[in-house]
Amino acid sequence: MLRPKIPTMPTPTGLVTPPAVVEPTTVVQHHQAPAPAPAASTRPTIQLTPGAVLALVGAGTAVVLVVGAVLVSMLLAVAVTGVSVAVCAVVIRSLINDLKRR
């Protein structure tokens, strides 16, 4: 019941080519001149000085502070909107109840 079924390979039905015969070949070594050394890159390498590291840290800190301020202000805007909608709902409910009493 729990024995796996092993798939069987189907027999070929079309033209079957016989396996290719591999003939041994001789290896001939040629002595060549060594390849030329690769040319030096013309791009300048980046050297981080202590001032550059300090500037990178300062820029990263500024980005984090700006993104944090934007996210906090968006959260504050959503909270203020929710509170104002709640106040409007209470005022409208009060006005409707006042009209029903008259």
Side-chain angles (χ1 to χ4, degrees):
M1 180 174 143
L2 297 176
R3 293 183 185 167
K5 293 183 179 180
I6 300 173
T8 58
M9 294 296 293
T11 56
T13 57
L15 294 175
V16 179
T17 58
V21 177
V22 178
E23 296 179 8
T25 58
T26 58
V27 177
V28 179
Q29 294 181 352
H30 296 286
H31 294 287
Q32 295 179 349
S41 176
T42 58
R43 293 181 5 186
T45 58
I46 297 175
Q47 296 178 353
L48 291 178
T49 61
V53 171
L54 188 62
L56 286 174
V57 169
T61 304
V63 168
V64 167
L65 289 176
V66 168
V67 170
V70 168
L71 291 177
V72 167
S73 64
M74 289 173 64
L75 180 64
L76 184 62
V78 169
V80 167
T81 303
V83 168
S84 65
V85 167
V87 168
C88 288
V90 168
V91 169
I92 291 174
R93 182 178 171 192
S94 173
L95 291 173
I96 291 175
N97 283 339
D98 190 37
L99 288 175
K100 285 183 182 178
R101 288 181 186 164
R102 290 183 180 192

